[in-house]
Amino acid sequence: MPSYRTDLSGTRYSFRDLAHLLAAATPRRSGDALAGIAAASDVERMAARFVLADLPLATFLQESVVPYEEDEVTRLILDRHDRAAFAPVAHLTIGGLREWILGKATPAALAAVAPGLTPEMAAAVSKIMRNQDLIAAARKCRVVTAFRTTLGLPGRMAVRLQPNHPTDDPTGVAAAILDGLLMGCGDAVIGINPATDSIDNIVTLLTLIDELRQRFAIPTQSCVLSHVTSTILAIERGAPVDLTFQSVAGTEAANRGFGVDLTLLREAHEATRSLQRGTVGDNVMYFETGQGSALSADAHHGVDQQTLECRAYAVAREFSPLLVNSVVGFIGPEYLYDSKQIIRAGLEDHFCGKLLGLPMGVDVCYTNHAEADQDDMDSLLTLLGVAGVNFVIGVPGADDIMLNYQSTSFHDALYVRRALDLRPAPEFEAWLEAVELSDGQGGIRPIGFDRGGMMLGWDGGVP
């Protein structure tokens, strides 16, 4: 077993294994404190970072934070490791990797090396980065995916239109979809979290979105974020399934808590691709992750929550997804206590996912019992826009009335696009221009009303 120790301020600090070192190097996090694995002091945290910076990348191929024999995610990480892609950086330490990423690495070089980096390497390098490093590095990473829209292109930021309703009422859902479309949102996906997981309900919602999409020739994709087994049943019923969704985590035991394993995800991936519903690409999976999910399931193996979050990206990477997003503040203050921790975690998740080759979005969000507010979310949204986030979430009024948490609104997406000169996905932007919703400068023109109070929008008529 390698020796992880250093002297700092006249004190010897020792770390018993790689998992202990990674946990101690992590920025302050309430979830790690809850698990009893956080650094005991800021000095110990800095000592761990000194050791981590000098650690050769090869160490992460020799020591696993979760045993290979006990965990299929560990086996996936090591068995799928691409040594040829790893070769250009194999001689580096974690500190050297940071310098290469921020310095000489080009977007093409980062894309080429991604299959050779393990999640633990990505987590480790993020732990010795400042927030500005995470932003600058993520901005270099470009991951492009496609289904009916092309996502991740430079200078563009997509939005998931999230029209959730507490009773899945089709009229309420449709009203929220209309609201989002009029604000230029929905190019990432129109994605509904269903209030119930009944197959009849799922098919109804999928049919609603698909009929709307076809009626107005909207280039987007739909998803009802039900459990993967429910989506497979919906496919068997002939439902218009574009994307299959699933929440995933960074250990086999945590995924078991979600009711999934790699075999089931492969089955869902194959079933969804067999429908061949995409027009410009065939990325058909949508995954959500979030720091703290493994700890909440008592399936963390003594590993810090940010490293486990990165391991969840290995699961997602296996299936070439269209979309991946961290619901960064959704799990609550037990895991990310306040806005400082949420902002830091959001930047970490986005950078690490992109570094590993994933099309990362972030649900910029918090729960009402966290020490955070909408001003904090404005800050994170802006930072992520600068960092080149693939997509964010749009919720009517930023208040999800079904899931009972605070996210970002359609207006927030308009703000960040205008402030940072970002545009929608190209196919969706062309549609906005065709139906005269675009102002021709990447924004949305005001909607007028006739004397009878009817909305004037698409082709001068009532949408």
Side-chain angles (χ1 to χ4, degrees):
M1 182 75 68
S3 175
Y4 306 119
R5 60 172 63 96
T6 191
D7 293 318
L8 191 63
S9 300
T11 302
R12 170 60 61 94
Y13 290 92
S14 297
F15 307 96
R16 62 182 175 272
D17 54 25
L18 186 57
H20 182 204
L21 176 63
L22 288 166
T26 306
R28 191 186 304 273
R29 203 129 307 172
S30 56
D32 292 339
L34 179 66
I37 59 174
S41 67
D42 289 336
V43 178
E44 182 184 21
R45 184 173 293 109
M46 189 56 65
R49 290 176 183 173
F50 271 111
V51 176
L52 195 57
D54 289 335
L55 206 63
L57 291 180
T59 306
F60 294 85
L61 301 176
Q62 298 160 2
E63 181 180 351
S64 300
V65 296
V66 182
Y68 182 93
E69 298 77 16
E70 299 177 14
D71 187 87
E72 70 171 359
V73 177
T74 300
R75 294 193 290 275
L76 175 71
I77 291 167
L78 295 178
D79 293 349
R80 286 284 195 270
H81 181 250
D82 188 331
R83 291 189 175 272
F86 181 58
V89 296
H91 63 288
L92 295 177
T93 62
I94 290 296
L97 179 63
R98 173 187 174 274
E99 292 175 3
W100 178 75
I101 291 170
L102 293 171
K104 294 181 179 180
T106 64
L110 288 165
V113 83
L117 297 177
T118 69
E120 292 84 356
M121 293 175 192
V125 75
S126 75
K127 294 176 193 295
I128 63 170
M129 286 182 165
R130 292 171 57 186
N131 284 4
Q132 66 176 246
D133 297 338
L134 297 171
I135 294 167
R139 189 173 177 85
K140 283 188 175 185
C141 299
R142 286 292 167 188
V143 183
V144 178
T145 56
F147 188 77
R148 292 194 190 96
T149 55
T150 305
L151 307 175
L153 295 169
R156 297 183 183 271
M157 186 198 75
V159 183
R160 170 188 162 189
L161 199 169
Q162 183 170 302
N164 294 347
H165 191 278
T167 63
D168 291 334
D169 175 61
T171 302
V173 169
I177 293 174
L178 176 60
D179 188 17
L181 291 172
L182 292 175
M183 292 290 174
C185 298
D187 48 341
V189 65
I190 300 175
I192 305 171
N193 297 92
T196 64
D197 209 36
S198 78
I199 303 303
D200 288 342
N201 183 55
I202 292 166
V203 172
T204 296
L205 293 174
L206 286 169
T207 302
L208 166 67
I209 305 174
D210 200 59
E211 289 178 350
L212 179 68
R213 178 187 65 79
Q214 293 192 61
R215 178 181 176 187
F216 294 108
I218 306 169
T220 189
Q221 35 280 331
S222 64
C223 186
V224 173
L225 283 70
S226 57
H227 191 269
V228 63
T229 52
S230 298
T231 305
I232 291 172
L233 289 173
I235 290 173
E236 292 174 352
R237 279 203 189 183
V241 173
D242 291 340
L243 308 180
T244 288
F245 167 84
Q246 184 55 49
S247 295
V248 293
T251 69
E252 178 180 345
N255 283 323
R256 194 181 307 124
F258 284 136
V260 299
D261 58 22
L262 295 174
T263 299
L264 179 59
L265 293 175
R266 289 190 182 100
E267 178 187 347
H269 183 227
E270 292 170 4
T272 314
R273 286 195 66 184
S274 72
L275 300 179
Q276 298 183 330
R277 291 175 56 84
T279 55
V280 296
D282 62 357
N283 301 111
V284 298
M285 300 299 283
Y286 177 14
F287 294 110
E288 278 190 348
T289 66
Q291 291 194 28
S293 58
L295 176 58
S296 68
D298 194 25
H300 60 99
H301 294 268
V303 180
D304 70 274
Q305 63 186 39
Q306 191 252 338
T307 298
L308 292 179
E309 171 74 0
C310 290
R311 284 169 55 93
Y313 301 155
V315 176
R317 183 166 63 174
E318 176 73 0
F319 301 98
S320 303
L322 179 74
L323 305 164
V324 180
N325 75 262
S326 163
V327 285
V328 64
F330 180 75
I331 303 181
E334 299 83 1
Y335 307 97
L336 296 170
Y337 179 72
D338 57 14
S339 59
K340 182 177 179 65
Q341 294 187 12
I342 293 171
I343 289 171
R344 172 70 191 192
L347 296 176
E348 289 169 350
D349 294 352
H350 176 247
F351 160 69
C352 290
K354 282 285 189 67
L355 183 63
L356 293 169
L358 287 176
M360 285 302 295
V362 177
D363 189 347
V364 178
C365 64
Y366 65 101
T367 57
N368 286 311
H369 61 311
E371 292 294 322
D373 59 29
Q374 211 64 37
D375 286 338
D376 300 315
M377 300 305 103
D378 288 347
S379 298
L380 178 54
L381 175 65
T382 305
L383 294 173
L384 287 165
V386 174
V389 70
N390 276 32
F391 71 101
V392 295
I393 309 299
V395 178
D399 183 6
D400 192 304
I401 58 174
M402 194 279 282
L403 292 174
N404 293 308
Y405 79 116
Q406 308 303 308
S407 184
T408 45
S409 70
F410 306 135
H411 295 81
D412 295 333
L414 279 179
Y415 143 72
V416 77
R417 279 176 172 166
R418 287 172 176 168
L420 300 177
D421 194 24
L422 299 170
R423 306 175 82 90
E427 299 87 354
F428 195 80
E429 183 179 34
W431 175 77
L432 291 173
E433 292 172 355
V435 298
E436 299 182 1
L437 280 173
S438 172
D439 65 2
Q441 299 177 338
I444 300 299
R445 72 175 179 86
I447 299 298
F449 294 85
D450 67 15
R451 292 182 179 180
M454 300 300 291
M455 184 189 305
L456 296 175
W458 305 337
D459 297 323
V462 180

